[in-house]
């Protein structure tokens, strides 16, 4: 028997966080993370209900997702920070009146002739504080 998805989606949209967490446990057999917002839980529940009713992603999509997950685990610091950072890319950041130039290398990064494994290490070297390197260099924005 085919479930009535629009009615299930309405129920999900009206659920509070505790109801969403209980439904998540029932659907997936796992506990929902306590830091997840009710908005995220509603979207995730709607997706799970839809997948169970309609069969989820096709085999080709599942294979592509598995492949990307596996390859991302093997990526080094340079490509993990941002897949657009290819060797030879130069990042420029002004901090307290000084211009800093960082070169993306095959092994990570280079600044002032010194190698670094991560942008966060460079951001800490520049600021003296524990910044997110990608955020410091403007590769991702604050929420």
């Amino acid at each position: 028997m085919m479930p009535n998805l629009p009615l299930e989606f309405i129920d999900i949209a009206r659920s509070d966080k505790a109801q969403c967490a209980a439904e998540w446990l029932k659907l997936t057999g796992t506990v929902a993370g306590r830091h997840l917002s009710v908005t995220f839980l509603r979207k995730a529940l709607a997706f799970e209900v839809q997948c169970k009713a309609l069969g989820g992603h096709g085999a080709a999509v599942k294979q592509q997702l598995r492949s990307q997950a596996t390859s991302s685990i093997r990526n080094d610091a340079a490509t993990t920070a941002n897949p657009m950072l290819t060797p030879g890319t130069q990042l420029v950041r002004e901090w307290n009146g000084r211009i800093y130039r960082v070169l993306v290398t095959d092994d990570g990064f280079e600044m002032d002739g010194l190698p670094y494994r991560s942008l966060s290490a460079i951001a800490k070297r520049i600021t003296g504080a524990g910044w997110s390197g990608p955020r410091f260099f403007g590769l991702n924005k604050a929420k």
Side-chain angles (χ1 to χ4, degrees), residues 127-143:
T127 66
W131 280 64
S132 158
R135 184 170 172 195
F136 180 79
F137 284 96
L139 299 176
N140 57 25
K141 302 295 179 204
K143 293 180 183 173

Side-chain angles (χ1 to χ4, degrees), residues 26-121:
K26 187 172 104 180
L27 271 174
T28 67
T30 62
V31 175
R34 64 184 174 131
H35 298 293
L36 299 177
S37 71
V38 70
T39 302
F40 176 83
L41 285 171
R42 288 176 182 149
K43 289 177 182 180
L45 283 170
F47 178 78
E48 287 296 319
V49 166
Q50 185 175 331
C51 284
K52 287 195 184 284
L54 304 175
H57 293 302
V61 172
K62 288 178 183 177
Q63 176 56 40
Q64 187 176 12
L65 289 170
R66 271 193 297 276
S67 173
Q68 288 180 354
T70 302
S71 68
S72 71
I73 291 169
R74 288 179 286 197
N75 284 342
D76 60 33
T79 57
T80 301
N82 187 322
M84 299 303 294
L85 293 180
T86 57
T89 300
Q90 188 174 57
L91 305 172
V92 180
R93 175 66 152 89
E94 185 272 330
W95 180 259
N96 288 341
R98 179 175 169 204
I99 304 289
Y100 292 89
R101 297 182 192 286
V102 174
L103 178 67
V104 179
T105 65
D106 290 325
D107 316 347
F109 305 93
E110 182 180 303
M111 183 181 77
D112 296 335
L114 298 173
Y116 293 86
R117 294 203 36 83
S118 73
L119 284 175
S120 295

